[in-house]
Amino acid sequence: MSEFLDILTHGRRLQGAVKELSIEELEQVQEKLSGIIEKRKEKALEQEKLEKEKLEKLASIKKQMEEAGLNVEDLQALNLDTNKRAGKKRPIKYKLVDEKGEEHLWTGIGRMPRIYKDALDSGKSLDDYAIN
């Protein structure tokens, strides 16, 4: 990609690369590049608009906090822990001991392990393996 960029940004190399193209082909390339440039400009303006809205919202929240006599430390003091289970393992709901004496544990979430599926197919119930 860097070679392409070198050719595209270097005047003489670009001229040499497109010398075989007709004027119509060059105009098509120019139209496509202009379209890409316009889309990039629109995207940049949209990003700028979103950033401006975000800053306005932050300023509004800051003003509301000042009016209420609050600061950032007050919010941190609340210790808002949105995900209390983060980093913790899910509890085991099912335990199956096979004929070799090996335990197979399952949380009941996700795809059912084959050993449980085979046991259910042989007439057992999932309740038989539930841990209370």
Side-chain angles (χ1 to χ4, degrees), residues 45-85:
L45 286 174
E46 183 65 27
Q47 285 294 102
E48 191 175 305
K49 180 183 171 189
L50 291 173
E51 188 64 27
K52 183 179 177 185
E53 289 174 1
K54 181 179 175 181
L55 291 174
E56 288 172 356
K57 288 178 184 178
L58 286 172
S60 171
I61 291 170
K62 183 178 178 184
K63 181 180 176 185
Q64 290 175 359
M65 287 177 62
E66 287 172 356
E67 289 172 356
L70 300 173
N71 58 29
V72 177
E73 289 79 26
D74 295 329
L75 292 177
Q76 291 172 341
L78 291 175
N79 194 11
L80 299 173
D81 189 13
T82 57
N83 190 2
K84 293 180 182 180
R85 292 192 50 84

Side-chain angles (χ1 to χ4, degrees), residues 81-93 107 109:
D81 189 13
T82 57
N83 190 2
K84 293 180 182 180
R85 292 192 50 84
K88 295 182 181 177
K89 290 190 173 190
R90 297 181 188 269
I92 303 295
K93 293 184 181 177
T107 62
I109 297 174

Side-chain angles (χ1 to χ4, degrees), residues 3-55:
E3 184 179 347
F4 173 73
L5 188 58
D6 289 342
I7 292 171
L8 195 59
T9 57
H10 191 272
R12 280 187 273 156
R13 290 185 74 187
L14 179 61
Q15 193 171 15
V18 298
K19 68 181 176 186
E20 301 293 324
L21 297 178
S22 67
I23 293 176
E24 292 82 21
E25 290 170 326
L26 286 170
E27 287 174 343
Q28 288 176 352
V29 170
Q30 182 182 20
E31 288 175 17
K32 289 178 183 178
L33 281 173
S34 295
I36 292 170
I37 292 168
E38 285 303 313
K39 286 180 184 176
R40 288 270 181 100
K41 285 180 179 179
E42 289 172 8
K43 189 174 180 180
L45 286 174
E46 183 65 27
Q47 285 294 102
E48 191 175 305
K49 180 183 171 189
L50 291 173
E51 188 64 27
K52 183 179 177 185
E53 289 174 1
K54 181 179 175 181
L55 291 174

